[in-house]
Each structure stands twice: as structure tokens, then as C-alpha cells.
């Protein structure tokens, strides 16, 4: 498995080696020892989430209170998404910046993001299935969001899907109502470094 650090400190891309023949493909999608070596500590798996999204669905930018925060190891097993990691840590040299990785059922990459980072994605085809390995369980009282269309973040969301057709963004009511990064900072919702 190849590991590449992203431009946001605390985030990495993992690309598995795929072994294929006439029967199909085999790969190691997650290796605890490699992840621990990369991030400098053991990843404690507390919950596994799966979401299935239509083309154009935007999910995020989500994050959890720190402590304890929620680290995630994310992959797309069916379809394709543009996965986006946002540095929302006040005081970080890359605060307000983002990086993106195409996760799909071709390269079968995954991303890891540390506690305190924001996460979101745009589905590029109907039925895109995303699996998240999470370091802590879901706690609705500790979950927050930043609007993924915040003009100050200026995330370059895809405009066309995997089939080449135009994407129409669809957000949940919660994500639509989420504050801008500046408002979340003013409200004291964001973690520090």
C-alpha cells in the first residue's frame, strides 16, 4: 500500500495494491499496523458508518468536538466521490485550506483524517457507497458542520459527474443551515491546534 501525505497536516491518502485476474480483484483496504506507523499511534476503531448517495449529493463539512474528536478512515466501495478535508483548527498554519482526493471503485484509495479536521464529499454518480471507519462513536451533541458552499472556503466542487453529465448539488437541511467557517469560529465551535 502506498501512503501519501496530503497538504493538510494530519491527513493522508492510502492507495492499495490490487491483485486481479479473470476472477476479479483482491486488495488490502485497511492495514492497522501501516496506519499506526503513519499517524504515530494506534487507530481505535469504535464505529463503522456507510452512506449511499445520489449524484450531486454534498455531505459535510462535518467535525466533532475536540476532545475527543473523531478520526476517520474513508473509502468509496461503489461509485465515485470527491472527498474533501478542511483544516478547521484555529491556529493551524493551513487553517481554512482544503485538499481533495478522488475516491472510487477503480483505484480504491482511502483517506485518513485526524481528529479536529473537517470532512465532506460530493457524490459523482448515483449509488456511491462510502464507508467510514471512525475512532469514536456518533454523539449528536458533539457534532458540528460548516457549510460546504462557504464562499470563503472556495472548495472547487465538481460540476460534472462520472458520466460527464452536469451535477446539481443536493444538501441536507442541516448542511444548508450550517454556518460559514468565519461564523463557526466566532461562535467558538472550531477546535484549536
Amino acid at each position: 500500500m502506498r501512503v501519501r501525505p496530503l497538504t493538510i497536516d494530519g491527513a493522508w491518502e492510502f492507495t492499495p495494491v490490487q491483485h486481479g485476474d479473470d476472477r476479479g480483484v483482491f486488495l488490502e483496504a485497511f492495514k492497522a499496523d501501516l496506519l499506526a506507523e503513519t499517524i504515530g499511534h494506534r487507530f481505535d476503531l469504535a464505529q463503522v458508518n456507510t452512506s449511499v448517495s445520489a449524484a450531486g449529493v454534498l455531505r459535510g463539512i462535518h467535525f466533532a468536538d475536540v476532545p475527543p474528536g473523531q478520526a476517520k478512515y474513508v473509502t468509496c466501495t461503489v461509485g465515485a466521490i470527491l472527498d474533501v478535508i478542511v483544516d478547521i483548527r484555529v491556529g493551524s498554519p493551513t487553517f481554512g485550506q482544503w485538499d481533495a482526493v478522488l475516491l472510487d471503485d477503480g483505484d480504491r484509495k482511502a483517506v485518513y483524517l485526524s481528529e479536529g479536521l473537517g470532512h465532506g464529499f460530493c457524490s459523482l454518480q448515483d449509488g456511491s457507497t462510502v464507508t467510514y471507519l471512525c475512532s469514536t462513536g456518533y454523539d449528536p451533541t458533539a457534532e458540528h458542520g460548516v457549510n460546504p458552499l462557504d464562499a470563503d472556503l472556495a472548495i472547487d466542487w465538481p460540476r460534472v459527474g462520472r458520466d460527464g453529465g452536469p451535477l446539481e448539488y443536493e444538501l441536507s437541511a442541516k448542511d444548508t443551515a450550517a454556518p460559514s467557517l468565519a461564523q463557526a469560529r466566532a461562535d467558538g465551535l472550531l477546535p484549536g491546534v
Side-chain angles (χ1 to χ4, degrees):
M1 187 173 291
R2 290 188 330 259
V3 181
R4 179 180 70 92
L6 299 179
T7 59
I8 305 297
D9 187 40
W12 290 267
E13 171 190 275
F14 293 82
T15 304
V17 175
Q18 299 186 57
H19 306 278
D21 58 26
D22 294 344
R23 300 169 298 151
V25 174
F26 174 84
L27 61 116
E28 295 173 334
F30 174 81
K31 293 184 71 163
D33 59 342
L34 177 63
L35 181 59
E37 180 182 319
T38 302
I39 66 176
H41 60 86
R42 203 178 96 185
F43 178 75
D44 293 322
L45 178 62
Q47 185 170 317
V48 177
N49 300 329
T50 300
S51 67
V52 180
S53 301
V57 167
L58 285 180
R59 296 189 187 267
I61 303 298
H62 300 148
F63 62 97
D65 284 342
V66 177
Q70 186 179 66
K72 297 176 184 174
Y73 187 89
V74 182
T75 191
C76 181
T77 55
V78 176
I81 64 167
L82 183 70
D83 195 87
V84 174
I85 297 164
V86 180
D87 192 345
I88 58 168
R89 300 168 298 190
V90 176
S92 169
T94 56
F95 175 76
Q97 295 178 27
W98 58 272
D99 201 348
V101 175
L102 175 67
L103 301 181
D104 65 15
D105 54 14
D107 289 338
R108 294 172 169 55
K109 293 178 182 180
V111 295
Y112 172 84
L113 59 141
S114 299
E115 297 86 350
L117 295 175
H119 178 255
F121 68 83
C122 178
S123 174
L124 302 178
Q125 79 175 60
D126 288 341
S128 291
T129 304
V130 178
T131 301
Y132 318 69
L133 307 182
C134 303
S135 65
T136 58
Y138 174 70
D139 177 358
T141 65
E143 297 291 321
H144 306 284
V146 170
N147 191 300
L149 299 176
D150 179 359
D152 289 337
L153 286 177
I155 297 172
D156 188 16
W157 294 111
R159 292 175 179 76
V160 296
R162 203 175 197 190
D163 64 1
L167 291 176
E168 292 186 34
Y169 302 139
E170 185 176 342
L171 285 74
S172 70
K174 181 179 174 182
D175 289 344
T176 300
S180 67
L181 184 65
Q183 187 61 54
R185 182 179 187 174
D187 292 345
L189 297 175
L190 302 179
V193 287

